[in-house]
Amino acid sequence: MSSKMQSSNNIAQARRTVQQLRVEANLERIKVSKASADLMHYCSEHAKYDPLLMGIPASENPFKDKKPCTIL
Amino acid sequence: RDACAEPHQLSKGETIHTLKTESETLKAKLEEERAKLHDVELHQVAEKIEALGQFVMKTRRTLKGHGNKVLCMDWCRDKRRIVSSSQDGKVIVWDAYTTNKEHAVTMPCTWVMACAYAPSGCAVACGGLDNKCSVYPLSLDKNENLAAKKKSVAMHTNYLSSCSFTNSDMQILTSSGDGTCALWDVESGQLLQSFHGHSADVLSLNLAPSETGNTFVSGGCDKKANVWDMRSGQNVQSFETHESDINCVKYYPSGDAFATGSDDATCRLYDLRADREVAIYSKESIIFGASSVDFSLSGRLLFAGYNDYTINVWDVLKGTRVAILFGHENRVSTVRVSPDGTAFCSGSWDSTLRIWA
């Protein structure tokens, strides 16, 4: 590669980096406290529908083996 | 390619030096903006919620049949079928309830690192060292030769590391050792969009939950996790806090965050609206890389498979480990929660898959 092409590639690369950084710098952000509250809210709203979290009885989980009934 | 498209002449006053200076200034500004909003840690906010109790999770099924390392697996939307792929080129479809094998195909390449189930349940996609992603329609006739109906969809210039159907059987998203991700039309094999921005192998990708729009996240050997707009191909956000390769990326179920697993032995949580890392899941005793992660349905639990053969279960909000699961006899390479959240499946270099509940 000629040194002229090399420096053109470097310019193009540097421009791309600057353009990318401009996009990222313009993002609207929220505080971690707000983001955390929202994550926690989602968890608590959905917790009751989460079988691995709540544990569900063997009779309702197709992967858990059902215990045989014993006749008393 | 891009160097030819852009003018080689510099704008007035612009030099490689001014561009680099602007680049440094923008990076510093980004750090400053992110830091301003860093008013608290997630685990501090989570102190007020109840700690989780003891977890008892056991292997409920063991799927044996691969002759070699299991590299990838995916659940069918019917919550019972699974597709898995291995180092020796085999792709197997299982009924996880009964452990029966329903289909098997041998790929013409070894190291099938990626496999995915189509949303309809009627096809599977896979690929690896062949640099391609191929789709196999699954027929009801179990004796049918699956390989005969194979359709080549994606072509990369290096190995296929991950693949995923979008919301339909019509499009597939791929990531590759060639440093790119790409979106393909299954029917025509046409490239619809390519995603450039990683500076090394891309190892994993995950689509945002459908309610949150057309984005996906990717992670790779450049230690970066990038969020992409699927329509424009634009890299909209980038995160670089890991100290080594990112092996796996997975969205939090709300779509507002994603988790990563890395060779630096940590898993991390990044919030998209705060635009920063908000949690790190690590312990001094965990020194082997995390290969694969997935969330439970509510997002409260993070299941992570490691190269030390274990699976660690993390409390996502408090940042603590709530369980450690033993059973595999070699590296855990893949972990995925079932679509209805009743179980999760792990695949390992010990050539087995296990269903845990």
Side-chain angles (χ1 to χ4, degrees):
Chain A
M1 201 187 284
S2 73
S3 68
K4 191 157 192 176
M5 236 193 111
Q6 181 88 9
S7 70
S8 293
N9 284 343
N10 289 343
I11 291 164
Q13 180 60 47
R15 262 213 198 102
R16 268 197 298 274
T17 303
V18 165
Q19 275 160 8
Q20 180 59 35
L21 287 168
R22 279 187 191 147
V23 165
E24 292 179 35
N26 281 335
L27 199 66
E28 279 195 31
R29 296 176 185 82
I30 64 172
K31 287 187 180 175
V32 176
S33 51
K34 166 87 174 109
S36 301
D38 288 351
L39 290 173
M40 282 168 53
H41 181 75
Y42 187 92
C43 273
S44 70
E45 286 287 295
H46 292 84
K48 52 184 172 290
Y49 306 115
D50 186 341
L52 285 168
L53 182 68
M54 305 308 288
I56 58 176
S59 55
E60 290 173 37
N61 190 325
F63 293 108
K64 287 187 182 170
D65 292 313
K66 300 159 195 8
K67 291 193 172 46
C69 299
T70 51
I71 297 169
L72 298 167
Chain B
R1 176 179 49 94
D2 280 319
C4 298
E6 292 180 85
H8 293 201
Q9 296 97 322
L10 295 154
S11 308
K12 197 172 162 68
E14 190 184 67
T15 62
I16 191 87
H17 178 73
T18 61
L19 284 169
K20 288 219 187 270
T21 306
E22 189 178 354
S23 178
E24 295 309 308
T25 308
L26 283 166
K27 277 184 195 165
K29 183 183 174 208
L30 257 174
E31 279 318 300
E32 201 188 301
E33 292 300 312
R34 281 173 168 166
K36 273 185 202 166
L37 299 162
H38 189 197
D39 53 347
V40 77
E41 297 290 338
L42 170 61
H43 65 82
Q44 289 170 314
V45 179
E47 265 162 27
K48 58 190 178 200
I49 52 177
E50 258 185 70
L52 297 171
Q54 278 278 42
F55 276 92
V56 176
M57 268 173 219
K58 296 195 272 194
T59 299
R60 305 289 175 171
R61 300 282 189 281
T62 303
L63 306 180
K64 295 185 186 180
H66 278 292
N68 212 317
K69 306 178 171 74
V70 175
L71 303 175
C72 189
M73 60 80 42
D74 191 20
W75 287 90
C76 178
R77 284 188 185 182
D78 72 359
K79 313 159 234 176
R80 72 186 278 173
R81 282 173 183 79
I82 277 175
V83 62
S84 61
S85 62
S86 67
Q87 182 191 357
D88 63 0
K90 287 246 175 10
V91 175
I92 299 176
V93 174
W94 316 75
D95 176 334
Y97 288 1
T98 62
T99 74
N100 289 340
K101 298 177 202 35
E102 297 200 336
H103 302 274
V105 69
T106 304
M107 294 276 287
C109 68
T110 57
W111 288 89
V112 187
M113 289 169 255
C115 64
Y117 231 113
S120 67
C122 299
V124 294
C126 52
L129 284 188
D130 58 354
N131 301 355
K132 295 187 209 175
C133 184
S134 304
V135 175
Y136 292 85
L138 297 173
S139 78
L140 291 170
D141 175 6
K142 303 203 175 136
N143 293 321
E144 182 167 2
N145 179 10
L146 280 190
K149 293 247 170 90
K150 165 178 157 175
K151 183 192 286 249
S152 267
V153 175
M155 276 292 297
H156 278 279
T157 54
N158 209 324
Y159 64 89
L160 187 83
S161 53
S162 184
C163 63
S164 174
F165 285 85
T166 59
N167 287 325
S168 77
D169 286 21
M170 308 282 92
Q171 291 180 355
I172 283 186
L173 198 54
T174 56
S175 65
S176 168
D178 67 15
T180 72
C181 297
L183 180 67
W184 310 83
D185 177 88
V186 172
E187 192 54 50
S188 63
Q190 198 192 336
L191 173 67
L192 299 172
Q193 184 63 263
S194 64
F195 305 89
H196 297 262
H198 280 287
S199 53
D201 305 24
V202 186
L203 299 178
S204 176
L205 65 84
N206 187 233
L207 272 144
S210 41
E211 311 79 53
T212 42
N214 289 314
T215 61
F216 72 95
V217 61
S218 64
C221 295
D222 57 6
K223 313 177 203 167
K224 286 193 192 168
N226 289 335
V227 181
W228 307 87
D229 180 308
M230 274 171 66
R231 291 205 180 101
S232 66
Q234 174 78 46
N235 174 5
V236 294
Q237 280 173 274
S238 188
F239 303 88
E240 195 174 349
T241 62
H242 271 294
E243 295 167 18
S244 187
D245 300 1
I246 295 176
N247 297 312
C248 186
V249 291
K250 201 56 72 71
Y251 269 93
Y252 184 81
S254 72
D256 286 337
F258 65 90
T260 53
S262 165
D263 274 355
D264 68 9
T266 72
C267 298
R268 299 180 195 226
L269 186 70
Y270 297 89
D271 188 285
L272 293 169
R273 295 176 311 145
D275 189 39
R276 62 175 300 122
E277 175 190 300
V278 293
I280 174 165
Y281 308 102
S282 66
K283 275 180 111 61
E284 270 186 40
S285 54
I286 301 174
I287 57 171
F288 283 82
S291 61
S292 186
V293 298
D294 202 1
F295 288 99
S296 68
L297 277 197
S298 66
R300 184 67 190 269
L301 301 175
L302 183 72
F303 301 98
Y306 291 75
N307 293 341
D308 65 2
Y309 315 174
T310 67
I311 294 163
N312 288 310
V313 186
W314 299 91
D315 179 330
V316 169
L317 303 177
K318 288 185 179 283
T320 52
R321 179 172 63 184
V322 296
I324 177 168
L325 304 175
F326 300 97
H328 278 298
E329 295 167 11
N330 207 318
R331 294 192 184 193
V332 178
S333 54
T334 180
V335 168
R336 288 212 201 187
V337 172
S338 70
D340 62 355
T342 50
F344 72 91
C345 179
S346 61
S348 165
W349 281 19
D350 70 9
S351 81
T352 70
L353 294 117
R354 285 170 180 250
I355 311 286
W356 307 79

